[in-house]
Amino acid sequence: MIRMQIVFDHVNYIYSGGTSHERHALKDINLSIDKGEFIGLIGHTGSGKSTLVQHMNGLVKATSGHIYFNGEDIYGRDYSLKKLRSKVGLVFQYPEHQLFETTVFKDVIFGPNNLGLDKLEAELRAYNALKVVGIGEDLLDASPFELSGGQKRRVAIAGVLAMHPEVLILDEPTAGLDPKGRDDILEQIDKLHKVSGITIILVTHSMEDIANYADKLLVMNHGELVMNQPTKEVFSRYKELEQMDLAAPQVTYLMNILKEKGIDVETDVTTVAEARDEIIKGLKR
């Protein structure tokens, strides 16, 4: 059984190669992503995050190197990129870039119809995907462009989920949402991951979101993959993150301050709940 789902083998990507504007967007990326992982991807603006994920479903082709999906080279002569994009779904930061039909239902069913499924199967996929993201029947005939920001995000995610992907990539899915809208979407994504076992790759600037959901963390800096470790281990290197204009969750700093003050606490906690429990233990000790 193949466990490594996506593999990058010495992947480079150069913008405007051979011109005065040449820029190395990805530099010698070596990376493997296993089935069922929930991965966070962080980096400062321009670090290569979006370029990296756009390589995963073939939207952008590497200048050199190879990318494998389930053991197959996606740059192979007979490899179907259309099939790849049905298996590796990408939800863009701005949902307006993915919404184009006249109604919500037509938008979500477009992908399944494109797969050549029969009418009933396509409709079932669309209904189920909308149910998963919390879009009710009252919005099926609404124009997707008249929805709120959070609803647009949900519809865009549903359109990808209806394709039954094996990997779901979300590029800043909570940007611009209020706290409740952000929490709702992330909770639904986490539930989907736990129930279906789908691989999730979450691109975000929110360290708290990463701490709450991601098992492993990838850190990009100037086109290079500089960290690829369990989330707690990455955040324990918060001083290195700061040198890249990044940070750890607030609780990481709090726990380190308490430790410096002489309170016997572990500093590798990353969520508020973990911090609460550890502070109680520390005070008892």
Side-chain angles (χ1 to χ4, degrees):
M1 177 181 174
I2 296 172
R3 178 155 177 77
M4 289 189 295
Q5 198 166 32
I6 300 174
V7 175
F8 279 62
D9 179 22
H10 295 288
V11 170
N12 292 275
Y13 183 69
I14 300 173
Y15 282 115
S16 306
T19 73
S20 59
H21 301 290
E22 180 175 303
R23 185 168 72 86
H24 223 128
L26 296 180
K27 300 176 185 177
D28 197 33
I29 303 294
N30 292 287
L31 167 68
S32 64
I33 293 171
D34 290 348
K35 289 184 178 179
E37 288 190 300
F38 196 130
I39 291 175
L41 174 57
I42 64 174
H44 58 79
T45 301
S47 63
K49 303 186 303 294
S50 293
T51 305
L52 184 73
V53 296
Q54 287 172 14
H55 275 73
M56 291 179 184
N57 74 345
L59 281 180
V60 177
K61 185 175 181 180
T63 305
S64 63
H66 294 272
I67 298 174
Y68 301 88
F69 180 70
N70 289 341
E72 294 185 80
D73 189 339
I74 71 169
Y75 300 141
R77 179 174 297 183
D78 299 321
Y79 192 85
S80 170
L81 288 178
K82 180 180 177 182
K83 181 180 177 183
L84 174 69
R85 289 169 191 150
S86 72
K87 296 296 182 185
V88 182
L90 173 59
V91 180
F92 292 102
Q93 179 175 353
Y94 302 103
E96 293 83 0
H97 294 173
Q98 283 177 267
L99 305 175
F100 57 91
E101 280 285 4
T102 54
T103 71
V104 165
F105 189 73
K106 285 181 179 179
D107 215 294
V108 176
I109 203 173
F110 178 85
N113 280 339
N114 237 17
L115 293 177
L117 302 174
D118 64 57
K119 184 173 183 290
L120 179 60
E121 174 66 14
E123 289 180 349
L124 283 173
R125 285 198 183 192
Y127 280 122
N128 288 336
L130 286 162
K131 184 178 179 182
V132 165
V133 300
I135 294 291
E137 292 185 11
D138 56 315
L139 292 176
L140 296 184
D141 293 324
S143 165
F145 302 103
E146 295 175 357
L147 303 177
S148 68
Q151 289 170 330
K152 287 177 182 177
R153 294 272 164 80
R154 292 168 191 255
V155 172
I157 293 170
V160 173
L161 290 181
M163 304 280 282
H164 285 190
E166 296 177 23
V167 180
L168 178 62
I169 303 168
L170 300 125
D171 193 352
E172 297 285 356
T174 61
L177 299 184
D178 59 58
K180 184 179 185 306
R182 183 191 69 223
D183 291 345
D184 285 348
I185 282 184
L186 289 173
E187 284 295 328
Q188 285 165 339
I189 291 167
D190 189 49
K191 182 180 178 182
L192 175 70
H193 171 249
K194 289 173 178 173
V195 171
S196 70
I198 189 174
T199 304
I200 304 289
I201 300 169
L202 175 65
V203 184
T204 181
H205 282 94
S206 171
M207 301 305 152
E208 276 66 29
D209 291 346
I210 289 285
N212 282 322
Y213 299 103
D215 306 311
K216 189 167 82 174
L217 195 47
L218 308 177
V219 182
M220 295 292 294
N221 188 40
H222 299 300
E224 297 183 66
L225 180 61
V226 294
M227 296 186 194
N228 177 7
Q229 294 174 292
T231 302
K232 288 181 183 294
E233 292 182 26
V234 171
F235 285 142
S236 72
R237 301 167 64 183
Y238 64 93
K239 290 185 179 178
E240 293 174 63
L241 293 176
E242 288 172 350
Q243 292 173 359
M244 295 180 269
D245 295 325
L246 299 171
Q250 289 299 312
V251 295
T252 298
Y253 294 98
L254 171 65
M255 300 307 283
N256 278 277
I257 290 171
L258 292 176
K259 187 81 170 180
E260 290 169 4
K261 297 290 185 182
I263 298 175
D264 185 14
V265 293
E266 298 293 333
T267 58
D268 66 347
V269 301
T270 55
T271 69
V272 172
E274 290 175 344
R276 176 199 62 209
D277 295 343
E278 185 57 32
I279 290 169
I280 292 171
K281 289 178 186 175
L283 293 173
K284 288 180 178 178
R285 287 194 288 263

